[in-house]
Amino acid sequence: MVLTKEVVLPEFTTLTVPEVDLSTPTLMSAAPYVGKYCETVNNEFMLCRFESNDPRACIDLGKKVTACTLQLFRNIKNNCKREFNQYSYCVDKSSGNFSFAMCRKTQTIFDECMKEKVSIERPDFGYFCRARVHSSSSAPPPPEPCPCEPKFQDETESLPDCKPRPSARFGGRYFWITE
């Protein structure tokens, strides 16, 4: 990416945030809950990224997403640590590709704990594929200029009528179709 003098990059101190440094099976085990618990903050962040097309404008929202994820993992640690550790350990050790198939019993125990103690139900299958309308508190981006204005001043009004083409010398490609 080429930068010019006009591009203002954020200072390093504004980019520092506590990271979610957890293993893949741990993140995969909690992924449905992270998606549901942080849904509104994440939707706002993704809307900002899509509308602004500039990641610098969305740094604060990215920090809020990370903070939300850390808050969920603190809730899991305080309320369902043993059940979650069993489930993530099963996901880690039961297969080579972190499959959930062998871990349905520990998943059920963890889901019941999350429902009872943290008051979050596991999202049903296909929850994240459904279309939902996100109502944002941020202002919409300014409208883009209309692309319907003519780009060339010397446009032709219409093309002249063409002469009919002669038939192909060696036959057409649809020779098997009879008229």
Side-chain angles (χ1 to χ4, degrees):
M1 179 174 157
V2 178
L3 300 176
T4 61
K5 289 190 292 185
E6 290 82 28
V7 175
V8 179
L9 294 176
E11 300 221 5
F12 187 72
T13 56
T14 61
L15 299 176
T16 56
V17 65
E19 295 183 14
V20 184
D21 53 349
L22 298 172
S23 65
T24 300
T26 304
L27 290 172
M28 286 180 63
S29 301
Y33 292 104
V34 171
K36 191 169 183 182
Y37 187 76
C38 303
E39 182 175 18
T40 56
V41 178
N42 190 42
N43 287 347
E44 192 69 31
F45 172 72
M46 294 306 293
L47 184 67
C48 175
R49 285 293 307 264
F50 180 75
E51 286 181 345
S52 69
N53 206 11
D54 184 13
R56 294 172 296 167
C58 308
I59 290 174
D60 293 332
L61 287 171
K63 288 180 180 181
K64 288 180 183 178
V65 171
T66 305
C68 178
T69 304
L70 289 171
Q71 180 62 38
L72 175 70
F73 278 108
R74 283 187 200 106
N75 286 345
I76 291 173
K77 183 178 179 181
N78 292 337
N79 296 306
C80 300
K81 181 179 179 181
R82 188 177 55 82
E83 293 86 353
F84 181 70
N85 284 341
Q86 286 177 348
Y87 178 47
S88 63
Y89 183 80
C90 178
V91 170
D92 187 22
K93 301 297 180 186
S94 66
S95 68
N97 60 354
F98 306 120
S99 174
F100 299 112
M102 299 296 195
C103 303
R104 296 300 179 198
K105 290 180 183 177
T106 55
Q107 176 186 337
T108 305
I109 294 168
F110 173 60
D111 291 344
E112 289 172 0
C113 179
M114 288 294 287
K115 187 175 180 180
E116 290 173 12
K117 295 181 180 175
V118 187
S119 302
I120 301 175
E121 285 192 45
R122 183 182 190 88
D124 58 334
F125 188 74
Y127 175 81
F128 298 107
C129 297
R130 292 188 201 118
R132 287 183 287 282
V133 176
H134 175 72
S135 58
S136 176
S137 59
S138 63
E144 294 182 11
C146 181
C148 56
E149 296 177 15
K151 295 181 181 177
F152 303 107
Q153 297 297 329
D154 58 345
E155 279 186 281
T156 56
E157 294 295 322
S158 63
L159 294 175
D161 292 338
C162 296
K163 291 186 253 176
R165 291 185 172 184
S167 58
R169 287 193 310 177
F170 302 109
R173 57 174 83 159
Y174 303 112
F175 63 90
W176 63 87
I177 299 176
T178 58
E179 293 180 13

